[in-house]
Amino acid sequence: KKLKRSGRLVDMTHYLLQHPHQLVSLSYFSDRYQSAKSSISEDLTIVKDIFESQGFGSLLTIAGASGGVKYVPMVNDNEGQAFVNELCKKLEDEKRLLPGGYLYMMDILGSPRLMNEVGRLFAAVFSSQQIDAVMTVATKGIPLAYAIGTYLDVPVSIVRRDHRVTEGSMVSINYVSGSTKRIQTMSLARRSLEEGANVLIVDDFMKAGGTAKGMMDLLQEFHANVVGIGVLVEAEDAAAEKRLVDDYVSVTRLEEVNDKERLVKAVPGNVLEKLKEVKQ
Ligand SMILES: O=P(O)(O)OC[C@H]1C[C@H](OP(=O)(O)OP(=O)(O)O)[C@H](O)[C@@H]1O
């Protein structure tokens, strides 16, 4: 049954939301709806105006024969602020306190809704960068990496801290995880990344930054480019004079973690400033 404009707009929006960062040609839509390209262009202008005025996405129009439109997920500033505040409140629960200034995070990392929101937020912050893959280290960074990869429509590369024959030939580096001051090894299967790939490094937690630094060193071995670093929680680590990495995006920052007084203070990280920058 041929859809009228209102029906096309609903179906088109659903299709675009399901295919973030994918170029969809005008002819795809004109075939799908049996409508003229001029009508489809008008439809897309309506969708674009609402996406952008509501702030939850932009519709890039790529001109030319192989042109079309691409839905780029964005996050409305107020929604971003509300979400970061919700996360801070969740973190400020003294029942999360673990020895060594760590927090129990698995309820947050295990929440598909929260991971989905974080994925959208990081994808919005890095939406204008050329990214070929998201990289994280097992284990707790994995849910975050998939959420971000979904919205950027890019694959995830999982770094391990052990070595398995089931991954074939691997590249390994040694690093000091600031938290443990122990020399550790991280490895990545050679098949996992193309030479020169543009990679976004993500992790759930950054303390001294040794893990993130380790992934940067690993990417050097692949002659890959680090596009950026994103973490869900950054902890103050007095031990590290200066973080081993200095340019990263954090959703939340632990201002205080006090075992004795059973106190956790979490504040927004720099993600919202970065979100505003990307919209300028
Ligand atoms: O900034 P750093 O001082 O290096 O610490 C951040 C590391 C430590 C912790 O991982 P673990 O809990 O050790 O390992 P897993 O993610 O497998 O639970 C966290 O997930 C980061 O990867």
Side-chain angles (χ1 to χ4, degrees):
K1 184 166 87 34
K2 199 162 152 46
L3 292 176
K4 294 198 305 296
R5 163 152 289 171
S6 54
R8 291 203 303 269
L9 292 176
V10 173
D11 187 80
M12 184 180 274
T13 299
H14 174 260
Y15 185 87
L16 288 167
L17 291 176
Q18 300 291 312
H19 298 84
H21 283 278
Q22 291 169 52
L23 189 64
V24 187
S25 68
L26 286 197
S27 40
Y28 173 79
F29 282 128
S30 62
D31 294 348
R32 187 179 170 102
Y33 305 120
Q34 291 305 303
S35 302
K37 283 191 183 169
S38 53
S39 313
I40 296 300
S41 291
E42 288 162 12
D43 295 347
L44 287 168
T45 303
I46 295 169
V47 175
K48 178 184 175 73
D49 288 352
I50 300 303
F51 273 32
E52 291 173 3
S53 61
Q54 300 296 90
F56 59 75
S58 54
L59 225 46
L60 299 187
T61 309
I62 289 103
S66 59
V69 286
K70 188 187 281 193
Y71 160 55
V72 176
M74 197 36 74
V75 171
N76 164 300
D77 290 349
N78 296 337
E79 280 178 33
Q81 180 74 60
F83 175 65
V84 172
N85 292 343
E86 176 192 356
L87 268 188
C88 289
K89 230 185 283 317
K90 275 187 184 300
L91 286 169
E92 293 186 332
D93 175 351
E94 47 91 17
K95 291 196 287 301
R96 291 182 184 284
L97 281 165
L98 299 172
Y102 278 97
L103 296 184
Y104 176 75
M105 296 273 292
M106 286 317 290
D107 58 319
I108 293 174
L109 300 170
S111 159
R113 179 182 72 80
L114 291 175
M115 284 299 103
N116 180 61
E117 290 297 313
V118 177
R120 214 155 63 90
L121 188 53
F122 272 121
V125 167
F126 290 104
S127 55
S128 55
Q129 312 266 359
Q130 169 56 40
I131 293 171
D132 305 315
V134 174
M135 171 186 269
T136 192
V137 61
T139 303
K140 289 198 287 288
I142 294 175
L144 182 60
Y146 276 89
I148 299 169
T150 301
Y151 279 102
L152 290 176
D153 191 42
V154 296
V156 171
S157 270
I158 303 175
V159 175
R160 318 175 61 113
R161 279 196 287 256
D162 56 8
H163 195 293
R164 279 282 186 286
V165 289
T166 49
E167 297 211 23
S169 157
M170 298 188 88
V171 177
S172 298
I173 57 107
N174 299 320
Y175 71 105
V176 177
S177 169
S179 330
T180 59
K181 285 278 177 285
R182 267 185 304 118
I183 296 262
Q184 290 184 282
T185 299
M186 53 168 80
S187 309
L188 181 67
R190 260 186 222 290
R191 294 170 168 82
S192 177
L193 271 185
E194 301 287 323
E195 290 259 323
N198 301 298
V199 179
L200 173 61
I201 291 174
V202 298
D203 208 351
D204 65 308
F205 202 85
M206 179 189 278
K207 211 153 177 298
T211 303
K213 174 81 173 51
M215 284 191 268
M216 292 173 77
D217 295 346
L218 194 52
L219 285 175
Q220 291 303 317
E221 298 300 316
F222 282 81
H223 304 115
N225 312 309
V226 179
V227 169
I229 297 174
V231 292
L232 185 58
V233 183
E234 65 166 306
E236 275 316 289
D237 186 308
E241 294 67 55
K242 175 154 179 22
R243 282 242 198 277
L244 298 165
V245 294
D246 39 28
D247 185 16
Y248 56 84
V249 180
S250 64
V251 179
T252 63
R253 183 163 54 79
L254 295 183
E255 209 159 56
E256 189 173 354
V257 177
N258 186 322
D259 227 350
K260 260 197 305 301
E261 290 165 35
R262 310 296 299 157
L263 183 72
V264 184
K265 177 86 189 102
V267 295
N270 63 1
V271 71
L272 296 174
E273 289 87 65
K274 299 281 185 179
L275 185 64
K276 285 194 175 67
E277 279 169 29
V278 83
K279 292 177 181 174
Q280 263 131 28

